[in-house]
C-alpha cells in the first residue's frame, strides 16, 4: 500500500466517525423538547425560559464541531490504523455519542442552582475530560508509532500531543470549578472553544494556512 | 494540489454537511408525534387536526432540501476551504440542525392564534433569516477571495451573492409579517421555495441546464 | 463529462438519498417505545402485546430496504440528473422520511379494530402509493429522456416503468382494502415485498444475475 | 469488472450498512432519557440510580462497534454481492437497527429482578443470537461461493465461519442463562466483547497485523 494515501481501514474509520459525529450533533436538538405553556404563560416567555436548553444546544454543537475539526486534522496525518488506534477511536465515538445526554442534564439543572446544578455541570465537564484523554491517548500512540503517520516529524507529533493535552486539563479543572460556579464553567467552555477554533488543529486542515506556509 | 478537483477538506466538509442536512430532514418526522385520541374522537379527525404538524413537516423538509441544493451548488464552485469558510459552514450546520425545533414550535402554535401563533412564526422566520445571512456571508467571502473558487468569474460570484441575499431579506420581512398574519407567512415560505426551486442554484448543478448552455 | 460515469450531482444525490433512507429505517425503532407494565402484567406478556409495533417495524424496515434496492438499481442506469429528476427525487425523500409516522399510527391502531384500524392502514397504504407514484414518475421521465441514462435501451426503460407501476397500483388497491380487512392488507404488503425482493430491480444490481446473463 | 476491486453494489451496500450501524449506535443515547428527580432526591443519586441505562449504553455501543469491525472485515474480502448476500445483509441491518429497543428494555428491567429481569436479558441475548446467526449465514454462503471473494482461500473462509459461529452459540447459551442470573449474562457479554476485540476479524482489517505477517 502506498504510504501517500490512507488505507481503506483509515478511510472507513473516518467515515464511521463522521457519521457518529454528525448524528450526535444533530440529535442535540431533540434535547430542547416541545414547548409546553404553564397557565397564562406566553410562548415568548416560555422560549426565553428555555435559555439553558438553547445555550446547551449552542455549546454542545460547537464542541462537537470542534471535535470533528480535531479528529479530521488528526486523521489527515494518519496513514494506517493499528489495533490501539482502532479501539481508542471507537472509545472516542462512544463518548461523542454520549454527549447529548450530559447536554440534556446540563440544560435541565444548571438553572436549578445548588448542588444539582454543580453535579450537572461536573458531569458535562467529566464527559469532555474523558474525550480529551482519549485524544491525548491517540496522539501519544502516534508519537510512539510515527510509522503510522505520513510525512509528519516526531517533533510535530509531540507538539500536537502537548496541544491536545490542554483540553482534558482545562475540562478537568472545570469538574471542580462546577462546585464553585456552574456559570463560570460555561465561560471556560466558551473560552476553550475559541482557543481550539483559532488553534493549530483547525489550521492544519485549512488551505489558507497551507498557502501561507508555502509562500512564507 | 490540482486546482481542478476539490481538496480533501472540501470533500469532507461537504460530506459532514450532507450528513447533518440528511439527519435534520429525517428527524423532522419525530415532531409529528404519536396520535392520541380524545374521548370519542375518530382517528380520521385526529389526523386531520394534525394538519399544522403535517404542513410544518412538508415546509421544513422542502426548505432543508433546497438548502442542500444551494449548499451543493456553492461547493461545486469552491476549490479549497479557508478558516472563515470552515467556521461559517459549521455555523450553517448549527442552524440547520436547529430547524426541527422551530418547526415543532410552529406546528404546535400556529393554530392557536393570537400572539403565540405570531411568536412561533417569527421564531421560524428568524431561524431561516439567520441561515440566509450565513449563506450571504459565505458568498461575500468568496467574492473577496475568488482564488478559493474554481473556474468562476468574479461577476458570477457577485451575481450568486445578490441572489443569495433574497432569502434573508424575504425571510426577515416575514419576522414582522408574522404579527400580521402567520398564514400569510406560510404562503411567503411556499413562494420562496418555488423561487429557489426554479432558480439558478438548482440550475447550476443540473445537467439539462448545462446542456442547454452548451447547445445554445 | 464522460457518459460512462455518473456526474458529481448524480453521486451526491444518491449519497443524500442513502442517508435519508438509512436514517428513516433506523428511526423506525423509536416507534416501538419504552415498555410500561400495567398492574401485575409480566414483561413477557407486555412484549407479546407489542406485536403490532414489532410487526410494523419489520414491515417498514423491509419496505425501506426494498426502496433502497429499487432506488440504487435506478441510479445505476442514470448518467446525469436534470431538474425534474432532482425534484422528483427530493419528493421521494420527503415521502420516505415520512414513513416512520404512518408506521407508528399503524402500530398503534391496527389492533383497535373498526374504522380507526382501517384508517391507520389506509394511511400507510396511501404513503406507499405516493412513493410508488413518484418512482413511476421518475421512470416515465427517463423513458422520455433516455439521454439521461447510460447504456439502457428505451425498451428496457419501458419495461422498468411497467414493473414500477405494479407498486402504486397494488398499494392503491389496499387503500380501499383497508376498510375490508387491515390484516389482509398486511398480507398484501408481505406479498409485494416478496415480489420486489425476487424481482428485476434487485436482479439489476446483483453480480450473480449479471453473470447468468453473460454465461447464458 | 476487475476482480481486484469491489463492485459498485458492494461499496454502496457497505456504505448503507455503515450508515445504519452509525445511526443505531448513536440513537442508543436516547434510551437513557431525561433525568427526573423524585421528591428530595439529589441529581447525583438519580444519576447513580441510572446505572442500568448507562451500562446498557456502554454494552450496546461496544457490541455495535464490534459488529462494525466484523462487518467491515467481512466486506474487505467480498468482491461482489449476489442476491443471498444482499438479503442476508439487509436482514442484518434490520436486526442491528433493532438493538436500541432490547437495550432500553434491558436497561429498564435488569434492576427489577425476578422473571421480568430474566425476560429482558433473554430478549437482548435473543437479538444478539439472531445477529450472530445472520453472520454465520453470510460466511456459510461465502464458503459455498468463494468466487464472490477476492484473494481468500476456502480454508480461510471456513476458519472465518467457525469463528463467527462462536457468537450465536455463546449468546444462545445466555438466553437460558438469563433465567439463572441476568448479571452473569452481562459478564458473558463483556467477555465476548473482549474476545472479539482481540480476535481475528479486528486483526484482519488492521495494518499492524498485516505488517507482522509481512515481516514474519
Amino acid at each position: 500500500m502506498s504510504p501517500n494515501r490512507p488505507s481503506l481501514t483509515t478511510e472507513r474509520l473516518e467515515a464511521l466517525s463522521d457519521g457518529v459525529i454528525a448524528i450526535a450533533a444533530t440529535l442535540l436538538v431533540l434535547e430542547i423538547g416541545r414547548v409546553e405553556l404553564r397557565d397564562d404563560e406566553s410562548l415568548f416567555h416560555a422560549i426565553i425560559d428555555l435559555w439553558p436548553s438553547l445555550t446547551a444546544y449552542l455549546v454542545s454543537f460547537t464542541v462537537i464541531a470542534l471535535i470533528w475539526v480535531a479528529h479530521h486534522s488528526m486523521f489527515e496525518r494518519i496513514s494506517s490504523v493499528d489495533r490501539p488506534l482502532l479501539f481508542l477511536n471507537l472509545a472516542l465515538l462512544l463518548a461523542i455519542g454520549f454527549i447529548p445526554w450530559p447536554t440534556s442534564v446540563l440544560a435541565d439543572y444548571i438553572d436549578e442552582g445548588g448542588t444539582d446544578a454543580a453535579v450537572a455541570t461536573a458531569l458535562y465537564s467529566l464527559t469532555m475530560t474523558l474525550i480529551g484523554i482519549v485524544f491525548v491517548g491517540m496522539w501519544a500512540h502516534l508519537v510512539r508509532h510515527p510509522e503510522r503517520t505520513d510525512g509528519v516529524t516526531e517533533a510535530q507529533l509531540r507538539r500536537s500531543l502537548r496541544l491536545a493535552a490542554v483540553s482534558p486539563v482545562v475540562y478537568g479543572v472545570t469538574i471542580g470549578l462546577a462546585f464553585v460556579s456552574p456559570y463560570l464553567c460555561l465561560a471556560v467552555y466558551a473560552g476553550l472553544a475559541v482557543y481550539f477554533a483559532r488553534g493549530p488543529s483547525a489550521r492544519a486542515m485549512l488551505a489558507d494556512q497551507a498557502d501561507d506556509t508555502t509562500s512564507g
Side-chain angles (χ1 to χ4, degrees), chain A residues 3 10-11 14 20 36 39 48-49 53 65 77 87 90 98 107 122 134 144 157 159 164 172 202 209 212:
Chain A
T10 309
E11 278 178 16
E14 208 173 350
V20 170
E36 280 168 40
D39 304 328
I48 299 296
D49 281 353
S53 285
R77 304 177 199 171
F87 286 105
L90 294 178
F98 187 65
V134 179
R144 286 194 309 272
L157 290 172
R159 187 160 163 268
Q209 308 298 132
D212 291 359

Side-chain angles (χ1 to χ4, degrees), chain A residues 132-184:
Chain A
I133 288 173
V134 179
F135 262 111
V136 167
M138 293 177 87
W139 282 116
H141 183 77
L142 290 172
V143 165
R144 286 194 309 272
H145 295 277
E147 76 276 11
R148 300 265 162 260
T149 63
D150 187 24
V152 192
T153 66
E154 211 187 300
Q156 286 172 314
L157 290 172
R158 285 194 184 284
R159 187 160 163 268
S160 294
L161 173 58
R162 275 196 307 275
L163 287 163
V166 170
S167 169
V169 168
V170 175
Y171 276 124
V173 167
T174 61
I175 298 176
L177 189 62
F179 293 88
V180 180
S181 166
Y183 295 118
L184 195 54

Side-chain angles (χ1 to χ4, degrees), chain A residues 3-205:
Chain A
N4 292 318
R5 58 181 298 277
S7 71
L8 185 59
T9 297
T10 309
E11 278 178 16
R12 295 297 303 272
L13 189 57
E14 208 173 350
L16 183 81
S17 306
D18 282 6
V20 170
I21 289 171
I23 301 158
T26 320
L27 283 184
L28 288 171
V29 76
L30 299 182
E31 159 262 324
I32 310 180
R34 295 196 102 92
V35 183
E36 280 168 40
L37 306 184
R38 283 166 301 188
D39 304 328
D40 285 343
E41 195 183 23
S42 72
L43 177 59
F44 181 76
H45 282 104
I47 290 174
I48 299 296
D49 281 353
L50 275 172
W51 75 263
S53 285
L54 298 170
T55 307
Y57 174 81
L58 205 71
V59 171
S60 283
F61 200 104
T62 305
V63 166
I64 293 178
L66 292 170
I67 288 173
W68 178 78
V69 170
H71 188 268
H72 179 26
S73 164
M74 174 189 272
F75 268 76
E76 286 216 329
R77 304 177 199 171
I78 295 179
S79 57
S80 65
V81 173
D82 55 17
R83 191 183 296 260
L85 278 179
L86 173 66
F87 286 105
L88 283 168
N89 196 86
L90 294 178
L92 189 67
L93 297 186
L94 189 148
I96 294 170
F98 187 65
I99 290 178
W101 190 68
T103 301
S104 84
V105 174
L106 185 69
D108 286 348
Y109 290 97
I110 195 171
D111 216 14
E112 297 287 312
T115 315
D116 286 355
V119 166
T121 313
L123 172 72
Y124 192 87
S125 294
L126 178 65
T127 307
M128 295 304 162
T129 307
L130 292 176
I131 289 172
I133 288 173
V134 179
F135 262 111
V136 167
M138 293 177 87
W139 282 116
H141 183 77
L142 290 172
V143 165
R144 286 194 309 272
H145 295 277
E147 76 276 11
R148 300 265 162 260
T149 63
D150 187 24
V152 192
T153 66
E154 211 187 300
Q156 286 172 314
L157 290 172
R158 285 194 184 284
R159 187 160 163 268
S160 294
L161 173 58
R162 275 196 307 275
L163 287 163
V166 170
S167 169
V169 168
V170 175
Y171 276 124
V173 167
T174 61
I175 298 176
L177 189 62
F179 293 88
V180 180
S181 166
Y183 295 118
L184 195 54
C185 287
L186 285 187
V188 176
Y189 300 161
L192 209 52
V194 171
Y195 171 81
F196 278 108
R198 299 177 55 90
S201 71
R203 196 182 307 147
M205 62 185 282

